[in-house]
Amino acid sequence: MLKTPLGRFRAIALAEGLSVIALFFIAMPLKYALGMPQAVKFTGWVHGLLFVLYLFALMEAAITCRWSFVRVVGGVFASLLPFGTFVFEARLRREAAEPAVEPAR
């Protein structure tokens, strides 16, 4: 999975999505409910790193796979929404699984 630009992007997209979930649903409640700001500090740092890696991997995959501008904007927009990277990655996986359609003769 990590040998191709698309595979690296998909792996980083999943990791970035998991970091958002960890930040919103674990670290932030720990900070505000239990007074543990260290959870947000660490998780936020990891999420920030994964977000930057996501953008770099998106650009690499977009150039290699010759994605349209609209698809690239969709990938950036997906990174800004909780669960967006999961939806975007699932769409890529579904498209990769579809058989190529031959034009009718």
Side-chain angles (χ1 to χ4, degrees), residues 1-61:
M1 180 179 213
L2 298 176
K3 294 182 181 181
T4 66
L6 185 58
R8 281 189 295 275
F9 172 72
R10 289 178 54 208
I12 293 170
L14 290 173
E16 199 275 338
L18 290 172
S19 75
V20 169
I21 290 172
L23 183 63
F24 287 170
F25 298 109
I26 298 171
M28 290 178 73
L30 286 174
K31 177 180 179 177
Y32 293 109
L34 301 176
M36 297 174 61
Q38 303 87 354
V40 170
K41 183 177 181 179
F42 175 75
T43 310
W45 185 86
V46 170
H47 168 66
L49 176 66
L50 286 169
F51 178 75
V52 171
L53 288 175
Y54 175 89
L55 293 177
F56 280 122
L58 174 67
M59 289 303 114
E60 181 187 24

Side-chain angles (χ1 to χ4, degrees), residues 5 7 13 32 34 36 47 50 60 63 68 71-72 77 83 88 96 103:
Y32 293 109
L34 301 176
M36 297 174 61
H47 168 66
L50 286 169
E60 181 187 24
I63 291 167
S68 69
R71 173 163 281 189
V72 174
F77 186 68
F83 306 105
F88 192 72

Side-chain angles (χ1 to χ4, degrees), residues 84-105:
T85 59
F86 296 129
V87 173
F88 192 72
E89 190 275 332
R91 177 174 285 170
L92 293 176
R93 188 172 2 106
R94 191 170 44 250
E95 288 174 3
E98 291 176 358
V101 177
E102 300 260 341
R105 294 182 186 222

